[in-house]
């Protein structure tokens, strides 16, 4: 059966029609988070409306959203300022009321991890971790084939592991969290501090590859911090593999080889780039509509 999968991120809402783990159609809307929850909600509904004619009447809507999500209530328990006003948002209730369709809501990194676990890079691993490098740094993990959720749905929040004790203030309110360095936002902040004069991560990586001294230093610091995160993840979870996904993996030609070379060999052999790309979250969210027992 075809279902709709939605991936709610800090800069865009991505949607897809999914059938047996394969994407048959896509839709996307950019978000202006400065306008708050209602603006983001409008974008979510626009994406869903554009895809509804492509699915049957019995199909559902699976949703992966940034933030701490209670998947049983379909509610955002906590979201950072990357999605202002999202804390308390009852996504499941609003979507089902608006479209009269069953829905299922999970954290976006968990959705991407499920997609990669059943259809992508980690499908042969019972013990796996996924790190999603996007606006923030998301994480999800499984042990002996069972997804880790934690008592408050906070498990594997890799992005909020302390990385620099006296470092940058995080949107979660803590200091020095990993996602303030190892993410698209973190890389751009490092680049700005080094006066790289770049408008996006693609430009930072390209200028670094062309020999720009400041951009090369920004990428070097990004890789160094990411190595620390990867080593920490290995020590905590002892995984069969660590899958790297999110928007920055789409630019892997600029940094992945240097990252792997900077890791100890025992760590490097665990790293697997995500194979589903930006579709992973939508695929995983749609899969949960028929397989929610895996949570």
């Amino acid at each position: 059966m075809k279902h709709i999968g939605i991936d709610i991120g800090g800069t865009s809402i991505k949607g897809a029609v999914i059938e047996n783990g394969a994407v048959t159609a896509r839709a996307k809307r950019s978000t202006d988070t400065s306008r708050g929850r209602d603006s983001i909600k409008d974008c979510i509904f626009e994406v869903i409306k554009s895809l509804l004619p492509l699915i049957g009447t019995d199909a559902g809507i699976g949703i992966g959203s940034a933030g701490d999500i209670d998947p049983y209530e379909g509610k955002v328990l906590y979201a950072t300022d990357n999605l202002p006003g999202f804390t308390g948002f009852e996504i499941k209730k609003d979507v089902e009321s608006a479209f009269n369709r069953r829905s299922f809501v999970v954290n976006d990194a968990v959705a991407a991890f499920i997609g990669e676990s059943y259809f992508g890079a980690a499908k042969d691993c019972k013990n796996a971790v996924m790190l999603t490098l996007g606006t923030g740094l998301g994480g999800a993990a499984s042990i002996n084939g069972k997804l880790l959720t934690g008592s408050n749905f906070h498990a594997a929040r890799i992005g909020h592991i302390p990385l620099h004790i006296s470092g940058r203030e995080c949107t979660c309110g803590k200091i020095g969290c990993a996602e303030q360095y190892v993410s698209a936002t973190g890389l751009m902040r490092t680049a700005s501090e080094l006066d790289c004069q770049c408008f996006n991560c693609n430009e930072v990586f390209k200028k670094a590859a062309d020999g720009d001294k400041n951009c090369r230093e920004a990428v070097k610091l990004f890789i160094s911090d990411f190595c620390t995160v990867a080593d920490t993840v290995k020590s905590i979870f002892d995984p069969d593999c660590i899958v790297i996904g999110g928007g920055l993996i789409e630019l892997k030609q600029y940094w992945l080889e240097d990252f792997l070379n900077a890791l100890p060999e025992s760590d490097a052999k665990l790293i697997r780039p995500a194979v589903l790309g930006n579709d992973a979250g939508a695929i995983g969210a749609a899969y949960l509509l028929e397989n929610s027992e895996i949570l």
Side-chain angles (χ1 to χ4, degrees), residues 250-265:
E250 302 298 319
L251 300 172
K252 63 181 182 291
Q253 69 271 25
Y254 293 113
W255 62 268
L256 184 61
E257 183 177 357
D258 288 341
F259 169 62
L260 294 175
N261 288 337
L263 287 170
E265 184 178 354

Side-chain angles (χ1 to χ4, degrees), residues 12 55 67 77 84 93 112 143 161 176 203 214 232 245 269 289 293:
S12 66
I55 62 173
L77 300 176
K93 179 181 177 181
I143 292 180
I161 290 176
E203 190 174 352
N214 291 347
T232 301
K269 69 180 183 180
L289 285 163
E293 72 280 356

Side-chain angles (χ1 to χ4, degrees), residues 26-190:
R26 294 182 178 86
K28 182 178 179 179
R29 297 288 187 277
S30 296
T31 54
D32 181 0
T33 56
S34 66
R35 296 173 59 193
R37 180 198 295 184
D38 288 342
S39 175
I40 301 170
K41 178 179 170 180
D42 288 344
C43 289
I44 296 169
F45 282 15
E46 286 175 14
V47 170
I48 293 172
K49 287 176 183 176
S50 71
L51 296 172
L52 276 178
L54 305 177
I55 62 173
T57 56
D58 294 333
I61 302 167
I63 300 169
S65 173
D68 295 336
I69 309 295
D70 179 342
Y72 305 108
E73 296 292 331
K75 179 179 179 179
V76 182
L77 300 176
Y78 173 77
T80 69
D81 288 342
N82 289 335
L83 289 173
F86 242 52
T87 298
F89 183 16
E90 296 182 273
I91 303 176
K92 177 181 174 69
K93 179 181 177 181
D94 282 12
V95 167
E96 291 184 349
S97 175
F99 298 103
N100 195 28
R101 301 268 183 165
R102 60 193 171 101
S103 68
F104 200 89
V105 186
V106 293
N107 170 267
D108 57 346
V110 171
F113 178 65
I114 289 170
E116 292 289 344
S117 293
Y118 287 89
F119 301 101
K123 61 184 179 181
D124 61 335
C125 298
K126 288 188 175 182
N127 299 285
V129 178
M130 184 167 186
L131 303 176
T132 56
L133 301 171
T135 304
L137 172 61
S142 63
I143 292 180
N144 296 326
K146 180 66 176 177
L147 182 73
L148 293 181
T149 56
S151 59
N152 296 295
F153 309 105
H154 292 172
R157 291 183 72 199
I158 308 301
H160 298 284
I161 290 176
L163 185 62
H164 294 287
I165 294 175
S166 300
R168 299 166 182 165
E169 183 176 356
C170 184
T171 52
C172 75
K174 297 192 295 185
I175 300 296
C177 289
E179 77 170 19
Q180 290 303 310
Y181 302 87
V182 184
S183 66
T185 302
L187 175 59
M188 289 306 299
R189 190 164 176 181
T190 300

Side-chain angles (χ1 to χ4, degrees), residues 72 104 287-295:
Y72 305 108
F104 200 89
Y287 183 77
L288 281 167
L289 285 163
E290 303 289 347
N291 301 277
S292 60
E293 72 280 356
I294 67 177
L295 291 179

